[in-house]
Amino acid sequence: GIIPMVELHYTSTLTNMDFVSGPLGDIGATANGGAGRRDILNLTGGVQLQLGALSSLTIAGVAPLMTGLNREFDSEFVVQFNRRF
């Protein structure tokens, strides 16, 4: 069997973040007075292949759809093999 999948993941802060400056740098709101709100949107797509009665292979990738501080990574890719016993 072949099972295609598409997922849209949205993550947002409930309130504006505070700005904290410490020994490891600035955390939270931007240093130029921004509100510190984060809205992260990622698109996941892949396919799961059923390989007989006991095995499956999943291949998927993730791409962020936002830019700037709302983009936490460039991309992700996964290959997963499951063997049930």
Side-chain angles (χ1 to χ4, degrees):
I2 299 174
I3 306 164
M5 63 178 173
V6 176
E7 299 176 358
L8 194 60
H9 296 255
Y10 176 72
T11 304
S12 181
T13 55
L14 294 176
T15 61
N16 290 342
M17 296 183 291
D18 294 329
F19 176 74
V20 178
S21 182
L24 298 178
D26 299 333
I27 300 171
T30 59
N32 61 4
R37 182 162 183 83
R38 300 292 297 271
D39 294 298
I40 300 168
L41 184 63
N42 299 324
L43 177 65
T44 302
V47 63
Q48 183 173 11
L49 306 170
Q50 188 68 36
L51 306 173
L54 299 176
S55 301
S56 64
L57 178 68
T58 302
I59 302 170
V62 182
L65 300 178
M66 304 295 271
T67 60
L69 293 174
N70 293 321
R71 183 181 179 124
E72 294 196 330
F73 59 93
D74 291 327
S75 64
E76 293 180 6
F77 185 75
V78 64
V79 176
Q80 180 181 14
F81 178 76
N82 288 318
R83 174 74 177 168
R84 293 172 288 286
F85 53 92

